[in-house]
Amino acid sequence: MSTFRLDKYLADAGIGTRSEIKNYIKKGYVTVNGEPTKKPDIKISPDDDEIVFQNQPISLSEFEYYLLNKPAGYVSATKDNTAPTVLTLIDSKRKDLFPVGRLDKDTEGLLIITNDGALSHRLLSPKRHVDKTYFAIVDGIVTKADVTLFEKGLEIGDDDLDIAMPAQLIIEKIDPEQNISHVTITIQEGKFHQVKRMFQAVEKKVLYLKRIAFGPIALPHDLPLGDSRILSKEEISMLQKF
């Protein structure tokens, strides 16, 4: 495991802010290998050093991984001044967690939360072509012609440079009376409002959107909306190998 500054390690463990922790250290509340320290910037190794705060050992894994069933109304960010963030739904004291990519505020479904920056970068890299699958309810009747257009790629902006890569569109259910369609769509990009803009390009509107899979990970049917769970070792391994 890597080495860390003592104050950053304690902050990531949720003990307090960096300024609060520096004050705790000055007051002798923190010991390293049984000895009080007054230096917040000393380097420690969680594998080799015993860190204790007010007689409580502090143990912190280098990385944490969560699977969240995001509800509408939450912003996929670490901070926001207008709405609650997805991190408020995660039961962790860590201060270094972040969402892998983003879902729109009104979009539900699978979102991975972690502090593993290298894994996040690989999963979001356009060169990796990681599948992202959504269930959508669309205002309008989706046709086989739409499916073909999605397969070819669509212009989704004001100029011919803003083109969405080919995507797989599957028609699940058509309701002619209500003029709506239930579909699944798999894309390999993460452009701003991409799914909504793709349907706008074929003169239809997304009424409801939920991500149901990200790469090899599918949204569990038994995970309630707004709840999260820790990814299993097998799931983490799948993401790392993907």
Side-chain angles (χ1 to χ4, degrees), residues 29 65 88 124 191 211 218:
Y29 294 168
Y65 307 86
T88 63
L124 298 176
K191 294 179 182 290
R211 184 154 68 189

Side-chain angles (χ1 to χ4, degrees), residues 70-74 76 102-108 132 134-139 142 150 154-157 162 164 167 169 183 185-187 189-211:
K70 176 191 174 297
Y74 288 79
S76 299
R102 67 186 302 275
L103 293 178
D104 293 340
K105 184 178 177 181
D106 61 349
T107 299
E108 298 179 355
K132 305 167 187 69
Y134 298 80
F135 167 76
I137 299 176
V138 178
D139 183 16
V142 176
F150 274 63
L154 286 167
E155 292 184 13
I156 60 173
D162 198 355
L169 176 61
V183 302
I185 175 174
T186 300
I187 63 176
E189 299 174 285
K191 294 179 182 290
F192 183 67
H193 294 326
Q194 181 171 339
V195 174
K196 297 173 184 176
R197 291 163 66 199
M198 292 180 79
F199 279 103
Q200 287 175 356
V202 294
E203 301 182 339
K204 295 175 178 65
K205 181 180 179 181
V206 173
L207 302 175
Y208 172 78
L209 189 63
K210 176 173 72 172
R211 184 154 68 189

